[in-house]
DNA sequence: TCGCAGGCATAGAGAAAAACTATGGATGTT
DNA sequence: AACATCCATAGTTTTTCTCTATGCCTGCGA
């Protein structure tokens, strides 16, 4: 079980064929067979169904494929992260509005634990920032992106609210209720953009100062809150996926390719990825 | 360049020694040498400076260590993506007395975050335990050891105490003061064992219920406390290394080779390694 | 000052893993 | 029915990894 096996796996998955995968990897076909068999034994599950003309991936393959691609890429990128030590100056950090405050502070806290000498200048403008915590969709050009967590906007209502009883929650199902949001910008990946792209116009809408405020208002019965799934819920609230409008986004840390990420931040990135992205 | 090399690298980084890393990885020392040399050639940078007594990491090592730990962890967790491990029964966890409560609870908290469905039965007896949090020196045979942190017992006194003024703190220097300890067992790696091996007899000694209690007593002027360096100090206390008696130990999680570590615990192990072993 | 012990490097042999060639069985295609 | 395609298997070769044995260097103690 190493990077080589995963590389073969990815090739087979994409080519849907052992032979073609072998050609792409420049090895013989039995090598692919053996590697996939070992992988299947190690994972204790079948990865491909062998058909007469090629193979077809199983559900297990679908599950591990994204991770396999990412792990291969990160292994290959290991040599690029060897950097020189960094000078200690304040890190100018721009935080995109509308993110889960819980997660952002959790990340910064880990960085502070890892490097107590590190300190931040939080700012709203992305100009002149060393690093940004931002949605991947809003990533400027020429920036390196380190994913931290993935969240989706969900509808949140107090227990007992009619919304929580429904089998499927759709945007039409609560368009008449008052909707409470914290941020309503038009940035890529934002819920407003997603709603707008589908022509949804919300009749009544309140804008709170923060997601937690929005949740508090929902708990008080003001309406249905829309907030990221990473925002912790107080008891008495229920969150439901909105079936027909998905606002999924990768949130992460971005920095210029030329910026040498201080080691404390690098450690925090890795801790948070382990904590929030491991299945 | 594969997972194996990275595993060796992490072991060397943590042990600061090729020989000890070899022992931990259950391979011979030349294997470690070869793997590190290959890694250095591949990354085109020096990872360790070879000293007469062990090796010391370079800045390049510091840079790749966090990512290496995470990649190894995610590789190991690949199989848990497919087959979610059974958390159907509680994890029986034995915690060796005398450890830093701060660290132990920090570790268990990470496990709870990673796998909310995980729950523990804490017990004092190591018999019938699934996992143990234990000093490496007290490791039973045939157990896998996952290092979590390293600590040493230190002398702790209130600021202004004569002890804190000295250039070097030796055991003779405070043998006349009352000494406060939390645990005084004879286990391998314990301070009592270290003291006993050197024939040190402490004249006056108090035994507190916990390290924090011992620190509180020291703060109140009862004497000099001896506690692990990982125990957080309240303000007004100063900790000094004891020059001539070193009680250094690796603390980690151990489990039987046959026990398959639930993924939440595996994630927590790696988060704590990042947090406590990165320089 | 001189062993001596600890620690890493190196060399060569042995073992394990991976790759290759050749071939067979199964299944569509012509 | 003959054929082509595709994957599995067997046996061999090549590469890689690991081990034992040994040498060199350095810090420590007598």
């Amino acid at each position: 079980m190493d990077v080589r096996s995963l590389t073969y796996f990815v090739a087979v998955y994409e080519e849907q064929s052992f032979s073609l995968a072998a050609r792409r990897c420049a090895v013989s076909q039995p090598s692919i067979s053996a590697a996939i068999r070992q992988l299947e034994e190690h994972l204790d599950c079948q990865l491909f169904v062998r058909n007469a003309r090629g193979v077809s991936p199983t559900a297990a393959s679908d599950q591990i494929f994204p991770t396999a691609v990412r792990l291969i890429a990160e292994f290959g990128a290991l040599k690029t992260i060897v950097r020189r030590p960094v000078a200690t100056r304040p890190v100018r950090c721009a935080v995109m509005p509308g993110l889960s405050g819980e997660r952002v502070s959790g990340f910064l806290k880990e960085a502070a634990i890892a490097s107590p000498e590190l300190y931040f200048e939080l700012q709203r403008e992305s100009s002149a920032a060393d690093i940004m915590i931002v949605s991947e969709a809003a990533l400027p050009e020429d920036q390196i992106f380190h994913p931290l967590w993935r969240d989706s906007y969900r509808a949140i209502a107090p227990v007992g609210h009619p919304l929580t009883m429904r089998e499927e929650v759709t945007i039409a199902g609560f368009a008449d209720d008052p909707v409470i949001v914290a941020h309503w910008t038009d940035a890529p990946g934002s819920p407003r953009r997603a709603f707008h792209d589908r022509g949804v116009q919300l009749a009544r809408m309140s804008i709170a100062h923060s997601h937690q405020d929005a949740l508090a208002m929902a708990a008080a019965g003001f309406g249905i809150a829309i907030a990221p799934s990473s925002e912790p819920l107080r008891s008495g609230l229920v969150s439901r996926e909105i079936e027909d409008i998905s606002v999924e986004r990768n949130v992460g840390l971005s920095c210029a390719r030329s910026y040498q990420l201080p080691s404390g931040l690098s450690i925090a990135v890795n801790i948070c990825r382990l904590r929030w992205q491991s299945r």
Side-chain angles (χ1 to χ4, degrees), chain A:
Chain A
M1 166 85 145
D2 57 350
V3 186
R4 182 189 54 88
S5 312
L6 283 194
T7 307
Y8 293 172
F9 163 76
V10 167
V12 173
Y13 186 94
E14 291 178 343
E15 299 282 350
Q16 310 243 334
S17 156
F18 281 23
S19 313
L20 295 183
R23 193 178 310 171
R24 186 210 278 189
C25 297
V27 293
S28 69
Q29 168 259 314
S31 297
I32 302 286
S33 287
I36 297 298
R37 181 168 42 77
Q38 285 180 347
L39 206 52
E40 287 179 327
E41 284 170 6
H42 180 94
L43 299 177
D44 196 25
C45 68
Q46 189 175 8
L47 292 174
F48 296 100
V49 179
R50 276 72 164 173
N51 306 316
R53 307 185 65 77
V55 296
S56 45
T58 63
S61 288
D62 296 336
Q63 282 185 294
I64 66 172
F65 176 74
T67 308
V69 170
R70 182 169 55 81
L71 285 180
I72 293 168
E74 295 199 61
F75 253 89
L78 246 192
K79 67 166 85 62
T80 71
I81 69 171
V82 177
R83 294 176 296 256
R84 303 291 153 258
V86 291
T88 55
R89 64 174 179 81
V91 178
R92 293 184 297 261
C93 175
V95 180
M96 174 184 177
L99 301 183
S100 157
E102 174 100 353
R103 293 271 161 111
V104 172
S105 60
F107 168 71
L108 293 176
K109 196 173 115 191
E110 285 300 337
I113 292 175
S115 286
E117 79 281 3
L118 213 59
Y119 61 107
F120 297 99
E121 281 179 13
L122 292 182
Q123 53 189 53
R124 302 188 72 85
E125 294 298 314
S126 66
S127 60
D130 297 313
I131 63 172
M132 286 187 288
I133 302 180
V134 68
S135 158
E136 188 173 15
L139 191 69
E141 274 301 308
D142 269 348
Q143 295 261 309
I144 298 178
F145 184 74
H146 303 277
L148 289 173
W149 70 86
R150 181 184 195 84
D151 61 21
S152 60
Y153 275 79
R154 296 166 68 97
I156 292 148
V159 286
H161 188 283
L163 184 83
T164 66
M165 308 301 186
R166 298 214 186 90
E167 189 68 29
E168 289 217 327
V169 175
T170 61
I171 189 66
F174 65 98
D176 296 331
D177 287 286
V179 165
I180 311 154
V181 296
H183 297 273
W184 201 241
T185 65
D186 207 17
S190 68
R192 181 177 180 186
R193 171 71 63 99
F195 279 46
H196 181 266
D197 287 352
R198 284 172 185 74
V200 176
Q201 283 288 346
L202 294 178
R204 288 177 289 166
M205 191 173 67
S206 306
I207 298 188
H209 281 93
S210 70
H211 291 306
Q212 283 300 321
D213 285 349
L215 296 188
M217 291 175 70
F222 273 87
I224 298 172
I226 297 184
S229 52
S230 50
E231 201 69 49
L233 295 185
R234 58 177 68 187
S235 68
L237 286 177
V238 177
S239 111
R240 295 295 304 271
E241 205 172 325
I242 308 171
E243 298 289 339
D244 52 348
I245 296 209
S246 79
V247 189
E248 289 222 328
R249 57 182 184 185
N250 282 325
V251 178
L253 182 147
S254 85
C255 59
R257 203 167 291 274
S258 60
Y259 180 68
Q260 317 278 327
L261 207 59
S263 71
L265 277 173
S266 172
I267 292 167
V269 164
N270 286 294
I271 286 181
C272 291
R273 290 176 77 170
L274 277 178
R275 182 186 290 155
W276 293 324
Q277 300 207 343
S278 299
R279 299 275 89 84

